[in-house]
Amino acid sequence: MKQRKAPAKATAPEADDEPKDRTSLYGALLRRFPLAVNAVQAGALSAASQLLSQRLKGAAALDFAPALRFALISAFVVTPVSTVFFTIVGKFRLRTPASLALDFFVGGPFLNCAFIAALHGLQGQDLAFILGVLRSRAFWVDMVLGSNKVWLPAKVAMYSLVPPEYWGLWCSCVSFGWGIVLATIVSDAN
């Protein structure tokens, strides 16, 4: 007669079953939900940079409306545009100089235009105003060329040293500092 085996008892996972490195959880989420993970981190860091900018300028009370605008723009405009751009650059497997050239002449200007259009759109400005800003010398010199003082070295490091799956995280971290500068420029202009 055959003996029946007792069913295996369900046990709690061993401590060794948990990821040793928390980046493995981040990496798994990033592989499964790349746009969502990048959007959340970009939005959160963008809002934080805007709030920090206010504190650094000596604000007695924080104004959360600009922080929310920056978070929305980062999550729903900058991140999707960047993700598409990085996907294209990654598929071509360009060398660093070619990636930088594409970024400098196409990606950067397009992203800056999208950022400014979204920012002024959220502030209730009409299309004529937004187009006026985008046609201005100040926009192209101060914003687009000025941003390359930060982004050109950051992108050299990114394309040379950072694995493509972490380009969004890299840009979010660099953007934290650049966001403080942008928030200061925008608040001074208003």
Side-chain angles (χ1 to χ4, degrees):
M1 189 168 184
K2 279 188 168 176
Q3 275 189 327
R4 295 175 101 189
K5 284 188 173 179
K9 290 183 182 178
T11 59
E14 298 289 324
D16 291 339
D17 292 344
E18 291 183 25
K20 301 265 190 257
D21 181 2
R22 290 291 177 202
T23 59
S24 63
L25 173 61
Y26 174 80
L29 289 172
L30 188 61
R31 282 186 295 281
R32 189 156 183 205
F33 310 105
L35 187 58
V37 169
N38 282 309
V40 167
Q41 74 194 10
L45 286 170
S46 186
S49 72
Q50 215 294 324
L51 293 171
L52 181 58
S53 171
Q54 290 179 35
R55 276 287 184 225
L56 292 173
K57 291 181 76 177
L62 294 176
D63 182 1
F64 288 93
L68 179 60
R69 278 193 298 271
F70 272 63
L72 290 172
I73 292 167
S74 290
F76 297 110
V77 176
V78 174
T79 297
V81 169
S82 297
T83 300
V84 169
F85 182 77
F86 291 154
T87 300
I88 292 168
V89 171
K91 284 190 190 293
F92 286 118
R93 297 181 181 194
L94 302 171
R95 294 187 185 269
T96 299
S99 296
L100 286 171
L102 189 60
D103 209 309
F104 184 83
F105 292 109
V106 178
F110 185 79
L111 199 57
N112 279 303
C113 288
F115 173 83
I116 288 298
L119 179 66
H120 288 297
L122 285 175
Q123 291 174 336
Q125 301 293 336
D126 63 7
L127 184 58
F129 178 84
I130 294 169
L131 291 175
V133 171
L134 295 178
R135 289 181 184 135
S136 72
R137 183 183 190 293
F139 168 75
W140 288 100
V141 173
D142 297 340
M143 180 85 169
V144 176
L145 292 179
S147 71
N148 283 314
K149 292 175 186 172
V150 171
W151 285 109
L152 192 58
K155 294 290 179 82
V156 168
M158 182 184 88
Y159 290 127
S160 302
L161 305 170
V162 179
E165 64 269 21
Y166 296 114
W167 287 354
L169 176 61
W170 172 260
C171 288
S172 290
C173 292
V174 172
S175 191
F176 177 80
W178 180 232
I180 293 170
V181 173
L182 285 181
T184 304
I185 291 169
V186 168
S187 68
D188 286 347
N190 293 335

